[in-house]
Amino acid sequence: MAKRDLINITDLSTEEVDEMLDLADRITAEPEKYQDACAHKKLATLFYEPSTRTRLSFESAMYKLGGNVIGFSDANSTSVSKGESVHDTMKVISCFADIIAVRHPKEGAAYVAAHSCDIPVINAGDGSHFHPSQTLADLLTIRREKGRLDSIKIGFCGDLKFGRTVHSLIDALLRYENVEFWLISPEELTLPGYIKEKMTGAGAVWHETRSLEDSIPELDVLYMTRVQKERFFNEEDYIRLKNTYVLDREKLSAAPEDMIVMHPLPRVNEIEVSVDDDPRAKYFEQVKNGKDVRKALILTLLKWKED
Ligand code: CP
């Protein structure tokens, strides 16, 4: 049977995404039922870029499924520092593990990884490209909080140029009915043209704006993002743009009562800590949802069958 990878969220059909979210719901309801589902299986987490949530939630998910974890969080401590290629590293690790989650600063590295070995590869973030397992956590959060994925009015705010979580979530939501998009960013960090063309091609309604204040009353979901220092070549540009949007209690007071605030995290100061107490703040729920949906993802790619 051919192996499955997850490089972009569109590697899964909409039905498969929905089934994975259903499986995550069942895991949350009855975690003990799945506690040995990955006994004797190993996950390799290969992180060439820093991470807190993604790496540790994959690792925690695998341990809770009864499996084991190997890997690295600093490629400089491995033979990568001697010049080993992604291709060779993946071929080697596939001798030791059953499934790989890889994060890399270069766009396309996860695709190369998947084509270098015969075990499933999960893209845990490749440069400013894609972050599909975050997208699954985001979709689960929207579905749990709003009860649907169709007919959502969602605003993406901040760094839409380099924000891989934004790119992947747009790819996913374009496949649901009647989703309307607000793209809120400074001129220098607008969504890449090829994604806007994709949105137009899919018949989606989208609005590009600089104003968070004007957009917020319209939204069901506000998805805030960090301006990512590590993606800038020029520190001056980063300093000039980093505080363009700061969500505080005053701005949130103009939002609908049932709007939710999401953020893939880490945040720097684009959401004031005082917002955390507002019942609409769901970014720490996103983190929690990430663990069970990654369990569902691991089980699906390992072709585990439910009794
Ligand atoms: N959301 C996310 O990718 O967080 P980490 O960088 O901490 O993994």
Side-chain angles (χ1 to χ4, degrees):
M1 213 189 299
K3 70 154 178 160
R4 291 293 299 273
D5 305 298
L6 182 64
I7 306 306
N8 186 3
I9 193 70
T10 51
D11 294 340
L12 300 169
S13 67
T14 315
E15 292 71 30
E16 286 174 318
V17 168
D18 292 339
E19 278 167 22
M20 212 174 291
L21 304 187
D22 292 345
L23 177 56
D25 282 341
R26 294 198 295 280
I27 291 170
T28 303
E30 281 186 283
E32 62 288 347
K33 192 175 156 195
Y34 302 86
Q35 64 192 6
D36 297 317
C38 283
H40 313 297
K41 297 284 185 193
K42 269 197 198 70
L43 165 74
T45 53
L46 311 180
F47 277 62
Y48 295 74
E49 234 191 14
S51 167
T52 299
R53 274 144 295 275
T54 310
R55 183 172 66 83
L56 295 177
S57 67
F58 268 120
E59 296 187 357
S60 172
M62 193 55 166
Y63 285 125
K64 289 281 186 185
L65 292 169
N68 274 302
V69 177
I70 58 172
F72 56 79
S73 56
D74 175 11
N76 289 324
S77 70
T78 74
S79 289
V80 172
S81 65
K82 303 174 202 165
E84 187 163 68
S85 65
V86 167
H87 171 271
D88 285 2
T89 301
M90 298 304 139
K91 272 204 113 51
V92 169
I93 300 292
S94 66
C95 302
F96 311 142
D98 301 286
I99 184 166
I100 289 172
V102 60
R103 171 172 289 189
H104 199 284
K106 286 207 178 119
E107 292 81 7
Y111 179 86
V112 172
H115 286 81
S116 304
C117 64
D118 55 8
I119 64 173
V121 171
I122 299 166
N123 180 5
D126 60 330
S128 55
H129 217 184
F130 304 130
H131 193 349
S133 70
Q134 178 67 46
T135 302
L136 291 169
D138 297 343
L139 293 172
L140 185 62
T141 303
I142 296 172
R143 199 174 83 162
R144 284 183 175 177
E145 298 299 332
K146 304 301 296 180
R148 65 187 191 279
L149 291 169
D150 294 313
S151 301
I152 292 287
K153 294 181 177 183
I154 183 165
F156 291 97
C157 180
D159 175 2
L160 310 192
K161 181 177 181 182
F162 299 113
R164 59 194 175 199
T165 63
V166 172
H167 303 166
S168 282
L169 185 52
I170 289 175
D171 266 343
L173 288 173
L174 280 179
R175 302 191 297 180
Y176 292 88
E177 294 292 320
N178 200 27
V179 177
E180 192 168 341
F181 299 87
W182 274 256
L183 308 173
I184 310 155
S185 76
E187 180 76 41
E188 295 87 339
L189 296 176
T190 55
L191 193 73
Y194 79 93
I195 303 178
K196 287 188 248 182
E197 281 167 24
K198 217 179 331 185
M199 294 166 82
T200 303
V205 177
W206 57 272
H207 319 268
E208 193 165 64
T209 173
R210 308 280 161 259
S211 173
L212 174 58
E213 287 84 344
D214 290 349
S215 312
I216 208 166
E218 309 292 333
L219 303 177
D220 299 312
V221 177
L222 172 61
Y223 194 99
M224 295 296 293
T225 63
R226 172 176 67 97
V227 174
Q228 301 172 84
K229 190 176 182 185
E230 64 273 28
R231 308 278 177 231
F232 280 80
F233 290 111
N234 177 340
E235 187 160 8
E236 273 174 32
D237 286 345
Y238 168 70
I239 290 168
R240 184 167 51 81
L241 294 171
K242 68 179 178 153
N243 291 328
T244 310
Y245 302 104
V246 178
L247 183 67
D248 55 20
R249 292 178 84 88
E250 192 191 331
K251 289 195 190 86
L252 195 55
S253 68
E257 284 298 307
D258 61 350
M259 189 196 80
I260 60 169
V261 181
M262 297 175 65
H263 191 309
L265 304 178
R267 73 171 149 191
V268 182
N269 53 356
E270 58 280 358
I271 301 179
E272 278 195 357
V273 173
S274 62
V275 170
D276 295 1
D277 294 333
D278 191 292
R280 291 168 287 190
K282 298 297 175 190
Y283 25 95
F284 292 111
E285 288 302 312
Q286 260 170 287
V287 178
K288 272 191 221 157
N289 294 337
K291 192 174 92 178
D292 283 346
V293 90
R294 287 185 173 99
K295 285 186 193 172
L297 174 59
I298 291 168
L299 290 173
T300 302
L301 295 187
L302 289 178
K303 302 186 192 300
W304 175 84
K305 292 272 176 261
E306 195 138 25
D307 294 335

